[in-house]
Amino acid sequence: MGWPWLMSNEAHALLAPGRRELPMLGRLAGRGSTMPLEKLVALKPDIVINAGTLDATHLSTAERTHRQTGIPYLLIDGRLADSARQLRDCGRLLGAAERGEQLARHAEATLLACRDLRPQGQPQVYLARGADGLETALPGSLNGECIEAACAVNAAAGSGGLARVSREQLLAWAPDVIVTQYPEFFALARQDAFWQRLPAVKRGHLALAPSQPFGWLDGPVGINRLIGVRWLFERLHGDTARSDWTDHAQAFHRLFYGHAPSREDLFRMAGLA
């Protein structure tokens, strides 16, 4: 019916016609909810589906929303490894089982390909979030799942969700690779004296993941990350200039978003142009 947040012109251009014109409706769940229940009722949806974190907070939101509006509310575990099941279940629920199966098979092929190619000696990867790069996803969190799915190890220590990180911690962790979805941080790390001290940056192992129309590694923690698994795997273990990487990215965009960006756009989005 619409998008949960305001999308840029660049993001809209990467979607199929018809989806580009959908309005911004606001967020219903999670941090920074911007949709009043009165607005939800006025929209008259047949169902609300929320895929992501399964915890007491989100369950309480689902129960309260259903109780106050009478609208069916389905809360789905958004773990990356369960992407195929999510797509099949939602496809059947929405009367689009054939398309759900098509998307599920793509998800399975993406995740199985990584598992089958798992190399020895997995690199330690730090996921830099925010303009300063000092927020990260901790091991085992939804936000950091792409690292493990791409046959790597999360360089951060601890447990939980997202955490602020000190410069001293980063120096102690000494990650092999740093990845980010924030162009501001990507530019900062390539010229800032502190970041230049880290071995990953010195060796040129700093990578910018595309974030349009949705994040390839994070933001949101949904099936949009399937493309990030293949991109990160190639970045860590292969050659990002290989044509199969861009072919895979175009196929994902065409299948999931209804529009395939050019190869030049993909390289620009990944900071390779």
Side-chain angles (χ1 to χ4, degrees), residues 14-268:
L14 293 169
L15 299 170
R19 299 178 191 175
R20 300 172 186 172
E21 290 75 29
L22 291 175
M24 191 279 284
L25 299 178
R27 290 183 55 145
L28 181 62
R31 292 185 299 176
S33 177
T34 56
M35 180 184 288
L37 292 185
E38 294 82 2
K39 182 177 180 179
L40 177 66
V41 172
L43 289 169
K44 298 180 179 179
D46 295 311
I47 189 170
V48 173
I49 300 177
N50 180 4
T53 304
L54 279 185
D55 59 18
T57 299
H58 286 80
L59 181 59
S60 175
T61 298
E63 292 174 338
R64 183 178 69 255
T65 302
H66 173 64
R67 185 173 61 252
Q68 295 180 358
T69 66
I71 300 169
Y73 195 122
L74 179 63
L75 189 60
I76 297 176
D77 189 348
R79 290 282 171 181
L80 189 58
D82 289 335
S83 295
R85 179 187 54 78
Q86 296 168 35
L87 290 162
R88 286 192 175 98
D89 289 349
C90 286
R92 287 191 292 266
L93 177 67
L94 299 174
E98 185 175 346
R99 174 158 171 78
E101 180 64 26
Q102 182 185 26
L103 299 178
R105 288 180 180 178
H106 184 98
E108 287 175 336
T110 297
L111 297 172
L112 286 174
C114 177
R115 188 180 67 186
D116 293 344
L117 294 173
R118 190 174 298 276
Q120 297 296 320
Q122 298 176 0
Q124 300 272 335
V125 177
Y126 175 76
L127 176 61
R129 292 171 49 95
D132 64 0
L134 294 178
E135 181 182 72
T136 195
L138 297 175
S141 66
L142 278 175
N143 300 83
E145 285 184 307
C146 274
I147 295 175
E148 289 87 355
C151 310
V153 176
N154 193 328
S159 61
L162 300 174
R164 290 292 295 175
V165 175
S166 70
R167 295 188 171 195
E168 291 72 23
Q169 284 175 309
L170 267 172
L171 290 171
W173 292 340
D176 301 312
V177 178
I178 297 174
V179 294
T180 186
Q181 284 185 174
Y182 294 81
E184 317 93 295
F185 167 71
F186 186 67
L188 170 71
R190 291 191 292 178
Q191 54 85 31
D192 181 80
F194 165 73
W195 291 97
Q196 291 295 321
R197 292 167 59 190
L198 292 170
V201 179
K202 286 182 181 179
R203 295 193 297 266
H205 295 168
L206 170 69
L208 174 65
S211 58
Q212 302 288 0
F214 309 105
W216 283 23
L217 302 177
D218 186 12
V221 286
I223 56 172
N224 47 291
R225 299 173 297 164
L226 288 169
I227 191 173
V229 171
R230 180 62 63 91
W231 171 84
L232 184 56
F233 180 87
E234 292 293 342
R235 188 80 193 194
L236 297 174
H237 309 293
D239 179 2
T240 49
R242 283 165 36 182
S243 61
D244 63 348
W245 171 77
T246 53
D247 289 345
H248 179 85
Q250 287 179 319
F252 178 90
H253 272 257
R254 187 180 298 110
L255 180 61
F256 282 80
Y257 303 149
H259 173 76
S262 68
R263 192 166 275 114
E264 292 73 19
D265 283 341
L266 286 169
F267 272 89
R268 176 182 53 78

